Amino acid sequence: MTSTWLITGGAGYIGAHVVHALTRAGRRTVVVDDLSTGSAARLPAGVPLETCSVLDTVALADVMTGYDVTGVIHLAAKKAVGESVDRPLYYYDQNVRGTASLLEAMRATEVRRLVFSSSAAVYGVPPAGPVTEFTPTAPINPYGTTKLVCEWLIRDAAAAQGLSWLSLRYFNVCGAGSPALGDPGVANLLQLTLRALTAGQRPKVFGADHPTPDGTCIRDYLHVADLADAHVAAVEALLGAGGLAEYYNVGTGLGASVLDVLDTAREVTGLHQPYEFTARRPIDPPEVVADPARIAAELGWKAQHDLSAMVESAWAAWEAPVAATA
């Protein structure tokens, strides 16, 4: 019998890509989303959507029972770093209490498989060199802290409830699997750059004096379609073995500087606005690049898209009329 996976936040930018990838892999899904940032139009035909909050434990349990759910992919969360600094209580409520609510619903319905959407933000300002799963966790903002607290919560609940779980620590996600699934937000570097270029404005560069080859921050950028495939690999692992309790970095292992991203965006779009350099921000680590060796060795996953593919897909979605509403 085909298993059914509950995807919280499945109508959002990343969530919809995960649902599409699981559907292509032959997995049944049901989506729970409060549609505060998601859209039903993003979902594949035939995928059921239950509109409710992850804070509603009873509603979650009803969905798990009603759809005979085998496992959960928990993506529903607030994720804007700046907003988390301004509204830490809101982030703890939505992210930590939301995860506790989900775990309680899983306990009540005896659902024992969980994939958690975590973040490289749990590492804060890591030491120089590739970031492994054993790099110390020391988040520097409330968003990163809530993700780390959720990991602790899952670890402890798993020990008590007999859960099998995997935590995927995403690095810098961008791009689009199709124009209709583009990122509707304008918060990450690539989206901010596309907005500036199309408006005839100068893209901003925060700091040109970092200890990096060109003086700008270096990050590990990951195509959202590759990230979605990592979730499929995680589901297969959880279905294939019990007692899993692991953390995985999900990245390419390759760093790109701010100027690399801006230069690629100018090349792809044909819009050649000059940069505007401004002071560096204290919240920006100079370099954060994943070591993805563990997920490659244990789950058989490896990123397939390079930076040019990410920018090209993001630009196609930016230009598409459906991108703003899908």
Side-chain angles (χ1 to χ4, degrees), residues 37-261:
T37 57
S39 169
R42 290 177 169 269
L43 299 176
V47 171
L49 168 65
E50 298 290 340
T51 306
C52 70
S53 168
V54 291
L55 299 175
D56 190 338
T57 306
V58 173
L60 289 175
D62 286 345
V63 172
M64 292 177 193
T65 301
Y67 289 91
D68 194 22
V69 166
T70 298
V72 178
I73 299 178
H74 182 36
L75 296 113
K78 300 303 178 184
K79 63 177 184 176
V81 170
E83 183 184 42
S84 79
V85 174
D86 295 334
R87 304 180 67 191
L89 296 179
Y90 177 62
Y91 269 64
Y92 275 83
D93 182 63
Q94 296 291 309
N95 294 359
V96 178
R97 190 162 71 92
T99 299
S101 170
L102 175 70
L103 289 166
E104 175 58 27
M106 292 177 68
R107 185 201 62 77
T109 57
E110 299 185 348
V111 175
R112 293 194 171 93
R113 296 179 180 90
L114 175 64
V115 180
F116 177 60
S117 165
S118 191
S119 169
V122 301
Y123 297 115
V125 183
V131 177
T132 75
E133 290 81 1
F134 302 102
T135 296
T137 51
I140 59 172
N141 54 63
Y143 165 68
T145 303
T146 62
K147 286 295 185 180
L148 184 57
V149 171
C150 287
E151 289 189 347
W152 294 343
L153 181 58
I154 291 166
R155 177 198 63 196
D156 293 343
Q161 297 173 208
L163 302 183
S164 189
W165 59 273
L166 300 176
S167 180
L168 303 183
R169 292 172 172 172
Y170 309 168
F171 280 65
N172 295 66
V173 184
C174 59
S178 71
L181 296 179
D183 187 349
V186 188
N188 65 40
L189 173 63
L190 180 53
Q191 297 296 101
L192 288 168
T193 298
L194 295 179
R195 182 175 69 177
L197 291 175
T198 53
Q201 299 171 351
R202 300 172 67 178
K204 286 188 176 181
V205 179
F206 293 97
D209 57 348
H210 291 277
T212 61
D214 66 17
T216 67
C217 292
I218 292 175
R219 297 289 182 268
D220 189 330
Y221 293 94
L222 172 69
H223 199 297
V224 66
D226 284 331
L227 176 60
D229 288 339
H231 287 79
V232 176
V235 164
E236 297 301 329
L238 286 174
L239 289 172
L244 296 181
E246 301 291 350
Y247 307 92
Y248 292 107
N249 289 336
V250 189
T252 65
L254 302 173
S257 73
V258 172
L259 294 189
D260 289 334
V261 175

Side-chain angles (χ1 to χ4, degrees), residues 174-176 189-191 193-194 197 221-224 256 260-270 305-319:
C174 59
L189 173 63
L190 180 53
Q191 297 296 101
T193 298
L194 295 179
L197 291 175
Y221 293 94
L222 172 69
H223 199 297
V224 66
D260 289 334
V261 175
L262 268 57
D263 286 344
T264 304
R266 296 199 304 181
E267 179 181 349
V268 168
T269 65
H305 297 82
D306 62 12
L307 181 62
S308 292
M310 298 177 213
V311 176
E312 288 167 1
S313 66
W315 176 237
W318 186 274
E319 288 197 299

